Amino acid sequence: MNRLLSTISLTKRAGKLLLGFDQVKDAVLKGEAEIVLTASDLSEKSRKGINLICEAEDIESFSLPITMDEFWYEIGKRTGIIAVTDPGLAGKLRTMLSRETEE
């Protein structure tokens, strides 16, 4: 999980991370988001809302074993929904997430 948080932090420093429901929703609808990630303690209403939008636009979304407070510590903003706009960084995160689910 530390590598996952480090990659998310790197994505933020690279300027390829969008934070919050509205920004992420707009990016998904415009086709700019490569992957959407949600915090484990995100409200069910917000999770369902963003997942429906992602499904409609064929964008992968993952629920992470990371809380909003952990996001806050790592990226400087307390949020439950983030999107990565860079294909390379999104691919790296996908690989990490698929390895975690296999273990």
Side-chain angles (χ1 to χ4, degrees):
M1 184 168 58
N2 288 336
R3 288 184 53 218
L4 190 62
L5 282 170
S6 295
T7 304
I8 291 170
S9 181
L10 172 70
T11 305
K12 170 87 162 85
R13 289 192 305 273
K16 302 296 182 178
L17 190 68
L18 300 173
L19 311 171
F21 186 90
D22 291 333
Q23 273 194 337
V24 171
K25 178 182 89 170
D26 291 344
V28 168
L29 294 174
K30 291 177 184 174
E32 296 170 355
E34 295 290 327
I35 190 173
V36 173
L37 308 171
T38 59
S40 60
D41 57 346
L42 181 66
S43 74
E44 195 59 36
K45 179 181 177 188
S46 295
R47 185 180 316 282
K48 284 181 183 178
I50 202 65
N51 284 341
L52 285 173
I53 293 166
C54 289
E55 285 175 25
E57 298 297 321
D58 199 29
I59 301 291
E60 283 184 294
S61 66
F62 293 91
S63 180
L64 302 178
I66 297 171
T67 66
M68 287 191 271
D69 287 338
E70 289 171 310
F71 275 150
W72 184 16
Y73 179 78
E74 201 62 41
I75 59 178
K77 182 176 179 189
R78 189 171 192 277
T79 184
I81 303 172
I82 61 174
V84 177
T85 59
D86 181 78
L89 291 167
K92 185 173 182 174
L93 286 165
R94 270 189 208 95
T95 302
M96 281 190 242
L97 290 166
S98 66
R99 285 184 188 153
E100 276 190 19
T101 56
E102 288 174 4
E103 294 174 356

